Amino acid sequence: MPTAAPHLAGQALTISGLGLVHGIGHALTAHTGTPHGVALAAVLEEVLEFGAPAATDAYERTARALCLDPPADGDWARAAVDAVREISGALDVKQPLRELGVRPDLLRPIAAGAVADAVTRNAPRQPTEEEVLRILEAVY
């Protein structure tokens, strides 16, 4: 007998505040079959950099939760992004998009899909398709 559980889980994720990294992840998975977590790792650092100007308080809380020393320049957002970059590097989880099966002609459709994804509305900074395209090009 079918159940509503998968639908309800999807609805919960949509309204939970996932944001741009998941919007891009969904589009990458849809276009290439890349596992969702791998897709997220491919773009996480760049998405964090993109969102930082609009979420400085959240980034500071993140940096403090990671027990980072106060940055000399006071840029907690940079400290948080750098810490994520360091963790990602230590885990060796980040891969260029070209290694995930993304062809150059897929970059724009992936960007469009990410902007159209409902979870992207939860991002602290709303991207344009061109801004997402630049993120994708940076990790290509």
Side-chain angles (χ1 to χ4, degrees), residues 5 15 20 23 47 63 71 77 82 92 117 138:
I15 62 172
L20 178 58
V47 169
D82 288 348
D92 195 28
D117 193 314

Side-chain angles (χ1 to χ4, degrees), residues 67-123:
C67 299
L68 300 179
D69 291 328
D73 63 0
D75 190 350
W76 284 100
R78 170 62 41 212
V81 172
D82 288 348
V84 169
R85 183 172 284 113
E86 185 178 332
I87 293 166
S88 179
L91 296 174
D92 195 28
V93 296
K94 186 176 180 73
Q95 296 179 50
L97 296 182
R98 65 184 165 279
E99 291 182 15
L100 300 178
V102 177
R103 299 182 319 267
D105 64 300
L106 290 177
L107 292 174
R108 188 163 294 280
I110 291 169
V115 170
D117 193 314
V119 299
T120 298
R121 282 182 248 144
N122 297 318

Side-chain angles (χ1 to χ4, degrees), residues 8-102:
L8 293 174
Q11 290 297 316
L13 289 172
T14 298
I15 62 172
S16 67
L18 295 176
L20 178 58
V21 71
H22 283 275
I24 293 174
H26 293 157
L28 278 169
T29 297
H31 285 279
T32 66
T34 299
H36 188 60
V38 173
L40 298 177
V43 299
L44 178 60
E45 298 158 20
E46 291 74 18
V47 169
L48 288 173
E49 288 177 349
F50 175 79
T56 55
D57 289 344
Y59 282 57
E60 180 176 347
R61 287 192 305 276
T62 299
R64 289 179 185 276
L66 291 169
C67 299
L68 300 179
D69 291 328
D73 63 0
D75 190 350
W76 284 100
R78 170 62 41 212
V81 172
D82 288 348
V84 169
R85 183 172 284 113
E86 185 178 332
I87 293 166
S88 179
L91 296 174
D92 195 28
V93 296
K94 186 176 180 73
Q95 296 179 50
L97 296 182
R98 65 184 165 279
E99 291 182 15
L100 300 178
V102 177

Side-chain angles (χ1 to χ4, degrees), residues 20 24 111 114-115 127-137:
L20 178 58
I24 293 174
V115 170
T128 65
E129 186 176 318
E130 290 303 315
E131 288 169 325
V132 175
L133 184 60
R134 285 194 294 275
I135 290 170
L136 297 174
E137 290 170 344

